[in-house]
Amino acid sequence: MPSDLTSDVPGRPEGQRRAPIAIHLLAFAGAVTVAVLTARFARWDVASLVMIATLTVVSDLTSVETGSKLKVSGSFLGLLLAAVLLGGAPAALIGVTTILVGWFRWREDGHYLRNNLVAFAWFPLIGGLFFYAATNVAHVTSSDLNYYLLVFAAFLVSLTLNFVMVVGYQCWLDRSSVACKALEVCVPFLPSELFSALLTMVAVYVAVQVGVTGLALFALVLVIFQYLVGELLISKHRSETLQRMATTDELTGLANRERFRARIEQEIKECTKDGCPFGVMLMDLDHFKEINDTLGHDYGDVLLRELGPRVAAAVGPGGLVARLGGDEFAVLPEAHTDDPRVLEDVAADLLASVQKPFVVEEFSLEISASIGIARFPVDGRDAHTLLRRADIAMYSAKERESGYGLFSADQDQHSMQRLSALSDFRRAIEAGELILHYQPIVDLPDLHVHGAEALVRWQHPDQGLIPPAEFIQVVEQSGMIALLTRSVLDSAIRQCAQWRLTGEQLSVSVNLSVRNLLDSALPQDIEELLARYLLPPQALKLEITESMIMSDPDRALATITQLSQLGVRFSVDDFGTGYSSLAYLRGLPLDELKIDRSFVSPMLTDSSDLIIVRSTINLAHDLGLTIVGEGVEDGPTLAWLAQLGCDRAQGYHLARPMPAARFEEWIDANGDQSSSRAVA
Ligand code: C2E
Ligand code: CA
Ligand code: CA
């Protein structure tokens, strides 16, 4: 296929664009001088000149972009044809005309234009002079076969010259090595250049034997041929782009789910032939949602984009990494084996690559992930089953916080149970299987019972009492959390109102989930419940966490404001475990902070926890908030909290969560003597 090399248009750094104008001018003047001096040896046959010039210009204008710096066209062939049939000077004239006409189409920078003018003047000139000299020295005429071989040689000589001028200039601009460029440019184009040289031989033969008519016919065929090849290349390019888009994840540049599935199916086909097993991994980032929620989706995207190449590098060229969506990735390791140790080593390497800190603007973020591994053929014989089981293994690794783990059959059982439990859930709420336990919250230092936190449990007919940790998250994901919270609020408000009738001025705390805060119907629901059970709004406390507020601050703030205008109180739960700061919370209508038990429980054995507890108490007070220490598991901790000025306490040392009836007994037994038990 005919092709030529012309310097390309794309931008170079500004500083490098200042080409040596003087050299270009000198070279061009040289070409003009040589052309003028040799003009009298040339054949100035106007019909052929016009014919070849038209062929060259049209060919250049319809050249095919290859996506690299090269254009494919028959203009080179046209120039050589002119050089051989007419001579160097007319060929150089056609070369310069081609570049000038082409400029109106391509509008390349001035320095490229100059370089191309020089190149397109010189190489047909040299080609023509070479051919003229060679045929004279060898005494060959158009009736000899050698005449046509010299056409071939002339083509190669000018091609080399063209290469040196265009590629050399490009290297000078890029500051890259000519050898590299030579490989980059020559290797893919060598076959087409040789073909081009052959075509030139044929063209010369046709022109010599048939004359101008033959030449015109040849030119027509060539231009049509070039057009067809161009269309072919464009449609191939288009289908490659479409193919790439359909199998690539846009954000990370990794493979997408379809490509991964196709690859697994292909591996399975090959494995059934030669019997080699392999592993499939599913990786899910831990707490990615919180990063997204607190720092914004842009940060999340930047992080995922950086993660892609890292994970791909850790897996190696023989493996495959795909992003399945969100923060979920699938991996086919390079090593084809079902050896658990090898697969676990790969998983450990992957985790290590994920855990290296990410720098996003001024933040340095550290994330971790959980990886589940399923093996072909023991865990599944098709892509769908393998991915599902890797997913189950991943969840199990996440729950155990083990980083990674292999699938085992009992995990499948467990996940089935989870699903059937979930379908049970709606019925369970209606059947009243959700019950509340109450854990006392006492004032410090007098241990007066201030109120209770309502903690939900599921009294399952077959499985017994199920703790909230086992179902809350699944209920949240399934969208039934509004039902659950409403049911908890109903019981807790009713219960608290009942206690207050007997003279105990207690308050009740209810835990909310993130979705509840975004639910615009919540304030009205709560208002109705308070009115129905005649509970003063001040007796209800809603526990929310920092990350719940940050997930959608505007909507969360609207709900919080509406409820606090009713008189309902707000507590920040698990304080210290999220990403936000007291300074941010200052703008919200909050009443209480509950410092997380992970700081309180160990505060007497770990001095840094003690420092955190003490400074949090002080900061909370400065902001006018009361503070509750959670997770008080022994007397000395309780005494220290009182000493540090903490307002309230909650924990196993005081009482475990218990059913309403037991809570009443507990109050009867402890309430009266609270002041005598007071801590110092
Ligand atoms: P939480 O809000 O932090 O609730 C306190 C949890 O700490 C309770 O666990 C309680 O039994 C436990 N705890 C209390 N004192 C101590 C102590 O001294 N030491 C230790 N180690 N733990 C103590 P529980 O009842 O299993 O609840 C777990 C979580 O489930 C709660 O954490 C809360 O986030 C969630 N939850 C409970 N009930 C509800 C509910 O009605 N709605 C929602 N959305 N979440 C709930
Ligand atoms: Ca709580
Ligand atoms: Ca808590």
Side-chain angles (χ1 to χ4, degrees):
M1 133 123 242
S3 72
D4 77 16
L5 317 172
T6 28
S7 295
D8 195 19
V9 193
R12 301 276 135 210
E14 203 48 54
Q16 293 183 14
R17 286 192 187 186
R18 263 175 258 117
I21 299 182
I23 296 182
H24 277 149
L25 284 180
L26 218 66
F28 193 70
V32 172
T33 314
V34 174
V36 169
L37 290 178
T38 58
R40 62 198 167 89
F41 303 112
R43 252 186 75 212
W44 292 94
D45 170 24
V46 179
S48 300
L49 191 71
V50 170
M51 176 70 55
I52 299 175
T54 312
L55 159 72
T56 314
V57 170
V58 170
S59 192
D60 185 58
L61 291 180
T62 55
S63 64
V64 182
E65 300 284 342
T66 61
S68 73
K69 292 186 173 52
L70 303 171
K71 283 189 266 171
V72 175
S73 86
S75 50
F76 203 92
L77 185 153
L79 290 183
L80 250 291
L81 198 59
V84 167
L85 293 179
L86 306 176
L93 185 65
I94 296 177
V96 169
T97 312
T98 308
I99 289 299
L100 288 177
V101 174
W103 185 84
F104 286 99
R105 164 117 194 244
W106 315 115
R107 303 274 170 179
E108 65 264 43
D109 285 1
H111 68 113
Y112 277 129
L113 174 68
R114 285 197 305 272
N115 194 63
N116 284 338
L117 278 175
V118 170
F120 270 60
W122 267 112
F123 75 71
L125 210 51
I126 299 276
L129 292 178
F130 170 86
F131 186 74
Y132 180 77
T135 43
N136 275 342
V137 170
H139 300 296
V140 288
T141 61
S142 56
S143 53
D144 296 326
L145 177 68
N146 286 346
Y147 181 86
Y148 299 97
L149 288 179
L150 281 176
V151 171
F152 195 84
F155 191 100
L156 293 187
V157 167
S158 348
L159 185 72
T160 313
L161 189 79
N162 179 39
F163 170 78
V164 170
M165 293 180 88
V166 171
V167 173
Y169 182 62
Q170 197 67 50
C171 290
W172 179 81
L173 288 181
D174 293 350
R175 304 271 183 269
S176 56
S177 99
V178 179
C180 288
K181 211 55 160 214
L183 279 180
E184 186 189 313
V185 172
C186 285
V187 172
F189 278 87
L190 211 55
S192 67
E193 290 303 346
L194 292 179
F195 180 54
S196 216
L198 277 177
L199 268 187
T200 313
M201 279 168 63
V202 174
V204 172
Y205 182 79
V206 169
V208 169
Q209 301 301 323
V210 192
V212 179
T213 334
L215 199 58
L217 216 64
F218 178 85
L220 194 67
V221 171
L222 187 79
V223 169
I224 293 174
F225 179 63
Q226 182 180 319
Y227 172 77
L228 291 180
V229 168
E231 287 300 300
L232 212 74
L233 272 184
I234 290 169
S235 87
K236 184 167 165 262
H237 185 67
R238 231 182 257 143
S239 81
E240 276 169 2
T241 313
L242 282 178
Q243 171 78 8
R244 202 175 42 245
M245 273 162 61
T247 56
T248 308
D249 171 58
E250 232 176 282
L251 183 65
T252 57
L254 297 172
N256 66 6
R257 186 185 285 272
E258 280 63 44
R259 187 150 120 222
F260 192 80
R261 193 178 289 266
R263 172 74 182 271
I264 296 294
E265 268 151 21
Q266 181 200 336
E267 295 285 340
I268 290 176
K269 230 185 259 161
E270 281 166 18
C271 279
T272 359
K273 262 192 269 143
D274 55 21
C276 68
F278 64 89
V280 170
M281 298 182 182
L282 210 123
M283 178 170 83
D284 188 271
L285 305 183
D286 297 336
H287 308 297
F288 181 70
K289 196 181 158 310
E290 282 160 39
I291 291 181
N292 249 343
D293 288 350
T294 46
L295 297 177
H297 287 269
D298 290 348
Y299 283 88
D301 284 357
V302 172
L303 200 141
L304 288 176
R305 221 173 283 138
E306 276 194 32
L307 193 70
R310 261 198 212 183
V311 183
V315 169
L320 182 69
V321 188
R323 175 164 170 251
L324 302 184
D327 57 347
E328 212 178 51
F329 297 83
V331 175
L332 174 74
E334 203 168 29
H336 274 54
T337 174
D338 61 355
D339 182 344
R341 269 175 312 174
V342 177
L343 290 172
E344 283 176 351
D345 282 351
V346 174
D349 287 348
L350 266 175
L351 274 190
S353 78
V354 171
Q355 283 162 348
K356 277 187 226 132
F358 288 88
V359 179
V360 182
E361 289 179 16
E362 74 272 36
F363 292 97
S364 170
L365 296 174
E366 277 174 40
I367 54 165
S368 62
S370 302
I371 300 177
I373 309 168
R375 292 169 298 163
F376 174 86
V378 282
D379 298 331
R381 295 184 154 273
D382 60 81
H384 177 77
T385 313
L386 283 169
L387 275 176
R388 198 174 64 81
R389 299 205 150 161
D391 188 55
I392 292 169
M394 184 274 292
Y395 266 106
S396 158
K398 204 171 264 235
E399 269 171 25
R400 286 180 287 119
E401 297 186 3
S402 58
Y404 50 84
L406 269 94
F407 172 79
S408 70
D410 53 317
Q411 288 171 348
D412 210 7
Q413 196 62 33
H414 182 67
S415 81
M416 291 303 286
Q417 268 170 11
R418 261 210 324 213
L419 277 179
S420 72
L422 191 66
S423 63
D424 256 16
F425 196 76
R426 195 179 287 272
R427 182 201 52 75
I429 296 182
E430 283 158 11
E433 288 173 16
L434 287 191
I435 59 164
L436 293 183
H437 280 188
Y438 295 90
Q439 187 176 30
I441 299 172
V442 302
D443 288 329
L444 289 178
D446 62 11
L447 300 188
H448 176 79
V449 184
H450 171 80
E453 177 173 0
L455 294 156
V456 71
R457 276 99 182 84
W458 183 355
Q459 185 70 64
H460 196 278
D462 310 322
Q463 297 178 34
L465 199 65
I466 308 179
E470 281 183 29
F471 61 90
I472 292 279
Q473 209 191 348
V474 191
V475 172
E476 275 173 348
Q477 285 163 357
S478 71
M480 280 195 274
I481 195 71
L483 275 180
L484 177 137
T485 305
R486 231 198 103 84
S487 152
V488 171
L489 279 165
D490 190 300
S491 309
I493 293 175
R494 179 163 35 84
Q495 187 61 70
C496 188
Q498 209 173 317
W499 287 331
R500 288 173 77 101
L501 284 180
T502 66
E504 299 283 351
Q505 292 306 299
L506 300 174
S507 68
V508 73
S509 303
V510 171
N511 293 282
L512 294 189
S513 277
V514 60
R515 290 254 186 109
N516 299 136
L517 266 194
L518 310 179
D519 174 3
S520 54
L522 186 76
Q524 195 175 352
D525 283 358
I526 290 181
E527 192 175 1
E528 278 170 17
L529 287 171
L530 292 170
R532 182 183 316 157
Y533 297 116
L534 299 173
L535 184 74
Q538 293 71 18
L540 176 65
K541 269 188 214 168
L542 298 176
E543 297 198 356
I544 55 178
T545 62
E546 299 155 89
S547 58
M548 279 163 62
I549 305 169
M550 303 302 284
S551 81
D552 186 345
D554 294 340
R555 273 169 81 186
L557 182 63
T559 314
I560 295 171
T561 312
Q562 228 175 324
L563 280 163
S564 89
Q565 278 165 357
L566 264 182
V568 173
R569 301 277 155 91
F570 277 91
S571 240
V572 179
D573 202 2
D574 307 338
F575 186 76
T577 57
Y579 285 92
S580 72
S581 66
L582 276 174
Y584 181 81
L585 298 177
R586 191 165 46 187
L588 302 172
L590 304 172
D591 306 279
E592 190 179 78
L593 281 193
K594 297 184 81 172
I595 182 157
D596 192 65
R597 60 175 179 274
S598 60
F599 303 108
V600 174
S601 301
M603 70 182 218
L604 293 189
T605 47
D606 186 329
S607 61
S608 61
D609 286 324
L610 183 63
I611 292 169
I612 292 173
V613 171
R614 185 193 326 197
S615 54
T616 309
I617 292 172
N618 293 338
L619 274 165
H621 284 163
D622 288 346
L623 293 170
L625 301 172
T626 37
I627 185 145
V628 183
E630 286 189 317
V632 179
E633 293 182 346
D634 51 47
T637 305
L638 187 68
W640 259 95
L641 281 177
Q643 189 76 40
L644 294 172
C646 186
D647 304 292
R648 289 180 196 129
Q650 176 184 358
Y652 290 169
H653 173 67
L654 295 154
R656 289 189 174 248
M658 50 202 151
R662 281 250 312 283
F663 180 74
E664 286 157 27
E665 290 167 20
W666 183 87
I667 293 204
D668 286 344
N670 294 268
D672 298 340
Q673 19 159 336
S674 65
S675 29
S676 61
R677 289 192 312 133
V679 286

